[in-house]
Amino acid sequence: MSNINSKSTPPGMEPSDSIPQPNVSRKAPPDISPVTSGDTRYEQVINAELLGKDQRTGFLAAYDKQTDERLWILKIYDTQQIENLESDVQDVFFKSMILLPDGNNISITNERNETYLVELKTKKVTKK
């Protein structure tokens, strides 16, 4: 007597091959807290394309701590997009953001383990 719940596996496939696999998608971006220096709060921009920028990630924004007004947005690094590959798996977010003891520089490390130094007064970005 055959089992009515059994499913046949197509020739050339293992039983596990016929099980639908979930879509691969990136994990959530690291939770990076804003940093504050003087009257300014600095934070990662999660989707800069919504602000008219040429890529989604890799931007730092400065906000007036009192009014919450955005003062500026600065590109920290470029991200290359591969055509026909889901864009969210190609996003490269900040992994850490640290205000250095001098209060004038922020060190940012991204998910590729690339580290950048941002001079807050000049907005100069240097890859370390």
Side-chain angles (χ1 to χ4, degrees), residues 3-98:
N3 181 347
I4 60 171
N5 291 325
S6 69
K7 294 182 181 179
S8 64
T9 302
M13 291 182 73
E14 295 294 321
S16 62
D17 292 338
S18 62
I19 299 171
Q21 299 297 314
N23 289 338
V24 176
S25 190
R26 74 163 280 122
K27 61 184 177 180
D31 186 20
I32 303 299
S33 297
V35 297
T36 302
S37 179
D39 292 330
T40 308
R41 182 183 78 248
Y42 302 91
E43 59 187 62
Q44 173 177 214
V45 177
I46 296 298
N47 188 346
E49 286 180 336
L50 295 176
L51 302 172
K53 301 300 181 184
D54 62 343
Q55 63 188 40
R56 288 169 38 109
T57 61
F59 287 87
L60 177 68
Y63 295 88
D64 182 286
K65 195 168 85 173
Q66 303 301 322
T67 66
D68 231 18
E69 174 189 357
R70 187 174 56 237
L71 304 172
W72 48 260
I73 297 175
L74 179 66
K75 183 186 276 188
I76 305 303
Y77 51 84
D78 288 313
T79 59
Q80 301 298 319
Q81 295 291 308
I82 300 169
E83 199 173 327
N84 299 324
L85 183 60
E86 195 174 335
S87 63
D88 69 334
V89 299
Q90 299 182 68
D91 289 338
V92 181
F93 292 98
F94 296 1
K95 188 168 76 171
S96 71
M97 182 170 64
I98 301 166

